[in-house]
Amino acid sequence: QKTAYDVAVTGVQTCALPILAAGIWFAALVLQLQQRVRLGMPAAKSAMRIFHGSITYLSLLFLAVGIDALLG
């Protein structure tokens, strides 16, 4: 029989790394846009990439939460 600790550790192992990786990827997109703005470079493409990236990030986040709920 699984204890609460076992369930928590399984959830962290299953979902934390993909969520962390997606968060780092999204943060890199934001930092890239910030750098382009500071340098006075055109930022429209980077802004659209962040918009699409945010949708992708949230989709991955909700998918990971759903998988965690199914496994938990």
Side-chain angles (χ1 to χ4, degrees), residues 33-56:
L33 174 63
Q34 182 183 28
Q35 185 68 20
R36 291 182 68 84
V37 169
R38 282 187 180 170
L39 294 174
M41 300 171 69
K45 282 187 178 183
S46 293
M48 283 305 295
R49 197 171 354 172
I50 288 177
F51 171 72
H52 294 294
S54 69
I55 293 171
T56 303

Side-chain angles (χ1 to χ4, degrees), residues 1-63:
Q1 182 172 352
K2 288 186 176 182
T3 65
Y5 175 78
D6 294 332
V7 172
V9 169
T10 302
V12 168
Q13 290 171 348
T14 304
C15 297
L17 292 179
I19 290 172
L20 181 63
I24 290 171
W25 168 74
F26 184 67
L29 288 178
V30 172
L31 291 173
Q32 182 183 20
L33 174 63
Q34 182 183 28
Q35 185 68 20
R36 291 182 68 84
V37 169
R38 282 187 180 170
L39 294 174
M41 300 171 69
K45 282 187 178 183
S46 293
M48 283 305 295
R49 197 171 354 172
I50 288 177
F51 171 72
H52 294 294
S54 69
I55 293 171
T56 303
Y57 172 73
L58 286 175
S59 298
L60 292 172
L61 181 67
F62 285 123
L63 179 66

